[in-house]
Amino acid sequence: MKHNNVIQNSHFRKHWQRRVKTWFDQPARKLRRRENRVKKALKVAPRPAKGPLRPVVRCQTVRYNMRTRFGRGFTLDELKEAGVNRKEARNIGITVDHRRKNRCEESLKTNAQRLKMYKSKLIVFPRREGKFKAGDSQQSELAGAT
């Protein structure tokens, strides 16, 4: 305490239970979140439940730069390396960040490899059933997916 103040009397006769935040619902909330994740995954299937594909990037400062995390989007160079058109990428669930730059060859290669792996597993359904266009998957792949 600062200054020469009077020591206050303690007023413990207030209704303190009203001012306390309890976390008794934490286990139930955890369960509810998990169930909601499963429901969402079933609803958006066969699309990925975690949303669009994101690149692996290094954290920023000296303290955290040994860690990796998911970035905002793939660079145009990474897309070119993997053979993905930048306008097509957004339609097939790949995020694009035109402002990001590749400052080292390792990150370019790892993210390009990530894109190639994604493209190899990707099954693109035709918008209208029976009307196939360029870029759509073959009928045999579609039969195996559903």
Side-chain angles (χ1 to χ4, degrees):
M1 281 180 56
K2 289 185 177 179
H3 310 298
N4 189 15
N5 296 334
V6 177
I7 298 173
Q8 294 177 342
N9 294 327
S10 49
H11 298 87
F12 288 126
R13 294 183 198 275
K14 291 189 176 81
H15 189 69
W16 61 270
Q17 288 96 336
R18 238 185 320 200
R19 296 167 174 80
V20 172
K21 174 83 172 99
T22 60
W23 289 86
F24 297 130
D25 62 339
Q26 189 180 21
R29 182 172 293 189
K30 180 180 180 180
L31 193 67
R32 188 167 62 233
R33 280 198 197 108
R34 184 175 180 191
E35 287 168 354
N36 286 340
R37 280 195 298 271
V38 170
K39 279 183 201 168
K40 182 184 176 183
L42 289 172
K43 193 168 83 173
V44 300
R47 287 175 285 168
K50 287 188 175 180
L53 185 72
R54 295 186 182 276
V56 174
V57 297
R58 294 240 169 233
C59 295
Q60 280 189 338
T61 58
V62 175
R63 181 176 179 180
Y64 297 109
N65 66 7
M66 78 290 296
R67 279 189 68 232
T68 56
R69 62 176 176 83
F70 291 123
R72 181 181 173 84
F74 290 93
T75 63
L76 301 178
D77 291 335
E78 289 165 351
L79 292 171
K80 190 183 282 186
E81 181 90 16
V84 179
N85 184 3
R86 69 188 181 110
K87 289 191 176 176
E88 180 199 4
R90 299 196 178 180
N91 292 337
I92 59 173
I94 297 171
T95 54
V96 179
D97 187 6
H98 63 91
R99 296 164 298 191
R100 216 180 109 230
K101 297 183 184 82
N102 287 107
R103 292 182 173 84
C104 69
E105 201 65 32
E106 290 86 19
S107 68
L108 177 84
K109 283 186 179 157
T110 56
N111 284 323
Q113 186 62 36
R114 206 169 140 75
L115 282 167
K116 287 175 186 169
M117 178 72 76
Y118 180 77
K119 281 277 285 187
S120 68
K121 293 180 179 180
L122 184 70
I123 298 173
V124 181
F125 288 86
R127 286 182 185 252
R128 289 170 53 194
E129 199 170 329
K131 302 270 186 176
F132 288 93
K133 287 188 171 181
D136 293 344
S137 298
Q138 304 297 324
Q139 279 188 332
S140 59
E141 291 175 347
L142 295 177
T146 54

